[in-house]
């Protein structure tokens, strides 16, 4: 299973529940609910870091007022699993003709994202 996004603060092992975005032209730091996708130039924060964030002098902080909820599960893992099963079910490539030398048979392994397909032993 894929691990959840973690807090961007150095050494913090907690799960991210908020996203920090700096709006430079307005000198504002915005802390809102966790974005659906990790984006460049944004930072994922755990709840304690999201609640305690301070901005540089002269900057404003706009903070989400409600509870920070952990992100809902995504379908990414299910989609990757379905693709791996489809890939494993594809027919094997044709065998070389009998007069060509063959390489020793080794179990084939496929790799799809973070999943590995290992064929059953015969």
């Amino acid at each position: 299973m894929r691990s959840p996004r973690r807090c961007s603060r150095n050494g913090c092992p907690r799960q991210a529940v908020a996203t920090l975005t700096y709006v430079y032209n307005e000198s504002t730091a915005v802390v809102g609910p966790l974005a659906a996708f990790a984006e460049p130039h944004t930072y994922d924060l755990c709840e304690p870091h999201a609640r305690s964030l301070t901005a540089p002098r002269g900057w404003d902080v706009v903070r989400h007022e409600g509870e920070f909820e952990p992100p809902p599960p995504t379908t990414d893992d299910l989609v990757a699993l379905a693709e791996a099963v489809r890939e494993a079910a594809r027919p094997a490539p044709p065998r070389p003709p009998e007069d060509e030398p063959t390489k020793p048979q080794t179990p084939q392994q496929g790799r799809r994202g973070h999943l590995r397909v290992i064929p059953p032993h015969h």
Side-chain angles (χ1 to χ4, degrees), residues 6-94:
R6 298 282 175 205
C7 183
S8 297
R9 290 288 178 101
N10 283 339
C12 183
R14 291 185 284 262
Q15 181 178 358
V17 297
T19 296
L20 166 64
T21 306
Y22 288 108
V23 183
Y24 292 96
N25 61 348
E26 295 180 18
S27 299
T28 303
V30 180
V31 180
L34 187 65
F37 301 99
E39 297 285 335
H41 311 296
T42 64
Y43 304 89
D44 293 339
L45 299 174
C46 63
E47 186 161 3
H49 284 126
R51 297 254 180 244
S52 66
L53 177 92
T54 58
R57 185 173 294 137
W59 282 56
D60 294 319
V61 175
V62 175
R63 197 181 320 267
H64 173 69
E65 288 297 320
E67 292 294 315
F68 288 110
E69 299 290 328
T74 66
T75 58
D76 291 349
D77 288 326
L78 185 56
V79 170
L81 180 59
E83 287 176 3
V85 168
R86 278 195 288 286
E87 188 173 297
R90 285 189 189 127

